[in-house]
Amino acid sequence: MELQELGRRSKPRVSPTLGELLKRVGDAQDDASEHHQIINLNDPIPYPRSYPFVLSFHNLSYSVKVRRKMKLPALLCRKEELGSSDSEVESKDSGMKVLLNDISGEAREGEIMGVLGASGSGKSTLIDALADRISKGSLKGSVTLNNEVLESKLLKVISAYVMQDDLLFPMLTVEETLMFSAEFRLPRSLSASKKKARVQALIDQLGLRNAAKTVIGDEGHRGVSGGERRRVSIGTDIIHDPIVLFLDEPTSGLDSTSAFMVVKVLQRIAQSGSIVVMSVHQPSYRILGLLDRLIFLSRGNTVYSGSPASLPRFFAEFGHPIPDSENRTEFALDLIRELEGSPGGTKTLVEFNKSWQRMANPRTDIVDGPKQSLMDAISASISRGKLVSGASNDANPTSLVPTFANPIWIEMAVLGKRSLTNSRRMPELFGIRLGAVLVTGIILATIFWQLDSSPRGVQERLGFFAFAMSTTFYTCAEAIPVFLQERYIFMRETAYNAYRRSSYVLAHSIISIPSLVFLSFAFAATTYWAVGLAGGACGFLFFFLMIFAAFWAGSSFVTFLSGVVSHVMLGYTVVVAILAYFLLFSGFFIARDRIPPYWLWFHYISLVKYPYEGVLQNEFDDGVKCFVRGIQMFDNTPLGAVPDSLKVSLLKSMSDTLGMSITKSTCVTTGLEILKQQGITDISKWNCLWITLALGFFFRFLFYFTLLFGSKNKRT
């Protein structure tokens, strides 16, 4: 009965594209009614169906290097007892393991192709191969769309890839998440009202109307359900109505009802004029009824390729008929696992599938209707309502599908707005950082309260400046988890050209400035007058600017490291160690002229050096102000404990010996002489400020290159 039901399935009705849904929403909004209207997905379409797209792949093979393991005789004997599978193609001589072995097939517009198999069978690898997530040098075979080889640049624009994990911002609502995706993927030529209408139509199509105002949520914040979160993930990638949609196990971790709803949504997407290719671990009977084509994999080999309706006949002819009471896919997967554990492996099933395909399935890859070139097919698809990242109907073939939907300043504005929205929903993050800065400033202000101009006051000033400058860098370490938490969201969005990497770097650099200005002012205002630093209002202004420059350089440096390391704890370890080295070579612990020549280079690359020298010059760059007078020269020496009268007598003796008058009030050391003692003579305080700011820009530039070359999101 099940076979007959699937066999009688008629050709699926073509559902409206999102562009058509958008038009209907626009028409509905012209009505006087204020009620929100639900779009009927089964309404007939006034547009003729364009010629279908066909995604074909031929002889795909992919191998990876495996580490050689020491094989003990006992283990070898055990392996011989268990038997080895020939279907797991592995070259023991070359140390290569084949993950895909000569895989061929096709997926058509309006259909869902499911890739099935046990864990480790190669499902995700095949999806990655079709989605151009494997480097060309490693993947053998060909992937074509309408018999034309797909270029990476074109595929990124006309396709979307939904990862297995739901990579979303937890504090954004469902509607906000989809709206930001629309801002990225839809062109600026589309008005804000049209984009909003498009999002509302998509919310209805995904069945998310009741959860539209609910935040996504995470472990610490209650949000939408797992099935709703998965549908939001799909929605963010189909907002621009892609021609090809790849999904890596979209039903994993969901209950049967949620999984069925997700696949039902995918069926609507396919029927709207898209090709849907998805991997699925073990579909239920209801989900199986929604799939149009199946590919079963076993250790990188195809063991079945065809429609779900042909499964019973295939396994019956193989000699293992499927009982009427069993689920087809469960039976097939159980049989495949059983064969994988047998001495011969699945080799017989692989060979039977090849012969069965030749005999039972003659060529069916001839598309109904006249054939079109890929660009003509894309143009026809656009003309009936599919919006492909800013494509326009009157575009010529070379500019039919622009790489990015929006210019860089639009991307920066949207990224900045999204980041500020997230920050506003989690004010405790900035509050904790501000609290740390204020507490540190208050502690320093109370310890170094109103320092005098004595020799001890000079040493205490040096200690205050060294600790204050190093603290500004250490408080920037909180920026490490910021990008690490966004890393995979960033990789997902940039992998298919939602926005430029440069837009991300520029936007996050700009929106970080207001918070750094506030933190700098809070720290400077807390400490400057309380410690009793010199210079008045002009001195405070420079002190504030140097604190800001230090925060900017430290934040940029930590942001750069977050693009290099992949774990938070590793990032903290690296930051703490490197900042400690910077402080060591800053000139506080050892003056520049005392550093060994072979370590002098580290002194000049130290981030702490330039802010430290800048604030020292701001404090001591005065040839008139005196810091050591007469008998004060004996402070911090064994003679410091003798009575002042004896010190005056010593001064008289020194005056007679040197031939100059040195009294109790004679100035011995000025601020300029203190700078000379510290070896600070080669760079002015303003140059220290510019160098510190420049280092911040330099590390932002390095961060951009780490994103450009380190986030390709491809297998090698």
Side-chain angles (χ1 to χ4, degrees):
M1 184 68 183
E2 179 186 352
L3 176 61
Q4 294 175 353
E5 179 184 345
L6 289 173
R8 290 196 306 264
R9 191 192 317 174
S10 60
K11 192 171 184 178
R13 176 182 295 181
V14 181
S15 294
T17 65
L18 286 175
E20 294 160 2
L21 289 176
L22 177 61
K23 183 178 184 303
R24 297 181 192 180
V25 171
D27 295 340
Q29 288 179 340
D30 292 337
D31 250 346
S33 173
E34 297 181 355
H35 299 289
H36 181 78
Q37 298 190 11
I38 303 298
I39 306 302
N40 185 359
L41 296 174
N42 295 319
D43 286 349
I45 302 175
Y47 304 98
R49 182 176 182 178
S50 63
Y51 296 101
F53 292 95
V54 179
L55 179 69
S56 304
F57 47 98
H58 304 282
N59 311 115
L60 295 182
S61 298
Y62 173 56
S63 304
V64 294
K65 291 183 179 180
V66 293
R67 293 182 178 180
R68 294 182 178 273
K69 297 181 180 180
M70 184 180 296
K71 297 182 179 181
L72 300 177
L75 295 177
L76 288 174
C77 295
R78 180 63 178 165
K79 184 175 180 179
E80 290 175 1
E81 292 174 5
L82 294 175
S84 59
S85 173
D86 294 333
S87 62
E88 183 177 3
V89 184
E90 181 174 348
S91 174
K92 300 180 178 61
D93 297 332
S94 61
M96 300 293 291
K97 180 178 180 180
V98 179
L99 300 182
L100 296 178
N101 183 31
D102 198 28
I103 306 295
S104 300
E106 70 174 22
R108 294 189 177 189
E109 174 190 331
E111 297 180 347
I112 302 178
M113 185 179 78
V115 183
L116 290 81
S119 298
S121 61
K123 302 188 301 296
S124 297
T125 305
L126 178 57
I127 298 294
D128 287 346
L130 297 178
D132 192 36
R133 291 163 59 90
I134 299 178
S135 61
K136 296 296 185 182
S138 302
L139 181 66
K140 296 179 175 59
S142 63
V143 179
T144 62
L145 186 61
N146 284 18
N147 297 320
E148 296 186 25
V149 177
L150 271 174
E151 297 293 335
S152 298
K153 182 178 179 180
L154 177 61
L155 181 62
K156 284 184 177 182
V157 177
I158 67 172
S159 68
Y161 185 99
V162 180
M163 297 182 179
Q164 185 172 348
D165 299 323
D166 298 321
L167 304 174
L168 303 168
F169 287 98
M171 299 310 297
L172 296 180
T173 66
V174 170
E175 186 176 6
E176 288 172 339
T177 300
L178 296 176
M179 195 64 211
F180 280 123
S181 181
E183 295 287 350
F184 287 132
R185 302 307 301 257
L186 302 182
R188 62 172 178 162
S189 58
L190 202 64
S191 65
S193 60
K194 288 291 186 180
K195 290 179 181 179
K196 186 173 182 179
R198 187 176 181 83
V199 168
Q200 297 302 324
L202 181 59
I203 288 175
D204 289 331
Q205 188 183 28
L206 296 173
L208 294 170
R209 174 56 53 195
N210 293 332
K213 301 297 183 180
T214 307
V215 297
I216 301 298
D218 56 10
E219 294 82 0
H221 304 86
R222 187 185 180 103
V224 298
S225 66
E228 290 170 334
R229 184 180 293 109
R230 188 63 49 87
R231 279 177 274 159
V232 175
S233 296
I234 295 172
T236 58
D237 287 308
I238 67 168
I239 190 69
H240 63 298
D241 210 359
I243 293 174
V244 186
L245 178 61
F246 303 102
L247 305 100
D248 186 12
E249 299 198 16
T251 60
S252 295
L254 303 180
D255 59 80
S256 59
T257 301
S258 298
F260 175 75
M261 292 179 66
V262 167
V263 180
K264 189 68 177 176
V265 168
L266 296 179
Q267 185 187 52
R268 296 174 185 169
I269 295 170
Q271 293 174 358
S272 70
S274 298
I275 299 173
V276 177
V277 182
M278 58 179 285
S279 61
V280 56
H281 188 67
Q282 194 164 347
S284 64
Y285 163 75
R286 293 194 300 169
I287 291 178
L288 182 64
L290 301 178
L291 304 180
D292 299 283
R293 293 173 183 262
L294 300 177
I295 290 184
F296 280 84
L297 298 180
S298 172
R299 296 177 179 174
N301 293 274
T302 304
V303 293
Y304 174 77
S305 178
S307 67
S310 301
L311 267 176
R313 183 163 60 94
F314 175 83
F315 282 101
E317 295 182 11
F318 181 64
H320 294 76
I322 301 177
D324 295 336
S325 60
E326 288 200 31
N327 182 293
R328 299 176 184 179
T329 55
E330 290 181 0
F331 176 87
L333 292 173
D334 290 342
L335 177 61
I336 292 170
R337 291 192 190 98
E338 181 181 342
L339 293 176
E340 287 176 347
S342 64
T346 56
K347 182 177 181 180
T348 55
L349 186 57
V350 172
E351 296 300 325
F352 175 77
N353 175 64
K354 293 179 180 178
S355 61
W356 191 82
Q357 294 291 337
R358 290 191 296 265
M359 295 177 59
N361 294 325
R363 288 183 58 85
T364 58
D365 56 350
I366 300 177
V367 182
D368 296 334
K371 293 184 177 180
Q372 290 180 308
S373 67
L374 179 57
M375 283 301 176
D376 290 340
I378 293 175
S379 180
S381 182
I382 293 172
S383 66
R384 77 179 188 92
K386 292 185 78 69
L387 301 177
V388 186
S389 292
S392 58
N393 294 336
D394 56 352
N396 57 59
T398 58
S399 60
L400 184 62
V401 280
T403 304
F404 297 97
N406 293 287
I408 188 171
W409 58 87
I410 298 294
E411 296 173 351
M412 290 172 57
V414 177
L415 284 166
K417 181 180 178 182
R418 184 174 69 176
S419 182
L420 291 175
T421 302
N422 271 306
S423 300
R424 191 174 65 252
R425 301 271 169 82
M426 295 184 290
E428 62 275 9
L429 298 181
F430 179 76
I432 292 174
R433 190 177 182 187
L434 176 61
V437 169
L438 288 176
V439 169
T440 303
I442 292 172
I443 292 175
L444 290 176
T446 53
I447 291 179
F448 298 98
W449 179 263
Q450 294 298 314
L451 298 179
D452 55 27
S453 298
S454 66
R456 287 188 176 181
V458 171
Q459 293 301 319
E460 290 166 351
R461 276 176 166 81
L462 295 177
F464 166 75
F465 287 132
F467 189 86
M469 293 304 104
S470 60
T471 299
T472 59
F473 287 97
Y474 278 109
T475 54
C476 292
E478 60 83 28
I480 291 178
V482 173
F483 175 70
L484 291 179
Q485 292 172 353
E486 297 183 11
R487 175 191 291 270
Y488 295 105
I489 299 178
F490 166 83
M491 294 174 65
R492 173 179 64 82
E493 291 176 335
T494 56
Y496 287 84
N497 295 346
Y499 49 81
R500 299 166 180 84
R501 292 171 175 84
S502 57
S503 301
Y504 183 87
V505 175
L506 291 172
H508 280 260
S509 299
I510 293 173
I511 63 174
S512 68
I513 292 177
S515 62
L516 296 181
V517 170
F518 192 85
L519 293 173
S520 302
F521 183 82
F523 185 80
T526 306
T527 58
Y528 187 82
W529 283 286
V531 175
L533 301 181
C538 293
F540 172 78
L541 178 60
F542 182 84
F543 183 72
F544 159 71
L545 291 176
M546 186 55 79
I547 293 294
F548 168 74
F551 271 122
W552 165 251
S555 176
S556 300
F557 173 70
V558 172
T559 301
F560 160 66
L561 285 183
S562 69
V564 176
V565 300
S566 56
H567 300 285
V568 174
M569 293 309 301
L570 177 61
Y572 279 124
T573 303
V574 173
V575 167
V576 170
I578 294 180
L579 290 181
Y581 300 148
F582 285 162
L583 179 61
L584 176 63
F585 288 93
S586 64
F588 171 71
F589 294 102
I590 181 171
R592 174 172 56 88
D593 54 0
R594 300 284 294 172
I595 298 177
Y598 48 83
W599 278 118
L600 198 58
W601 62 273
F602 209 116
H603 170 72
Y604 285 100
I605 68 171
S606 171
L607 289 181
V608 184
K609 163 188 165 62
Y610 301 101
Y612 175 66
E613 292 186 359
V615 292
L616 281 185
Q617 292 183 70
N618 189 52
E619 180 70 16
F620 296 112
D621 192 11
D622 188 347
V624 177
K625 186 175 181 180
C626 187
F627 289 90
V628 180
R629 294 181 181 273
I631 60 174
Q632 289 181 336
M633 71 171 63
F634 300 114
D635 293 352
N636 300 324
T637 69
L639 296 176
V642 302
D644 288 351
S645 59
L646 183 56
K647 294 178 182 178
V648 172
S649 299
L650 289 174
L651 288 178
K652 290 181 179 180
S653 300
M654 292 174 61
S655 299
D656 295 339
T657 302
L658 297 175
M660 57 184 299
S661 176
I662 304 177
T663 65
K664 184 177 181 180
S665 60
T666 300
C667 184
V668 179
T669 304
T670 63
L672 291 177
E673 290 169 333
I674 293 175
L675 294 178
K676 291 180 181 178
Q677 293 173 8
Q678 297 297 316
I680 303 174
T681 57
D682 54 341
I683 305 176
S684 69
K685 69 175 186 179
W686 289 105
N687 284 338
C688 288
L689 176 64
W690 305 135
I691 291 174
T692 306
L693 291 173
L695 286 173
F697 286 104
F698 173 71
F699 283 113
R700 295 282 174 173
F701 193 66
L702 291 182
F703 177 57
Y704 167 72
F705 276 100
T706 60
L707 300 184
L708 186 62
F709 298 106
S711 59
K712 293 295 186 181
N713 206 19
K714 277 191 176 186
R715 304 192 194 191
T716 56

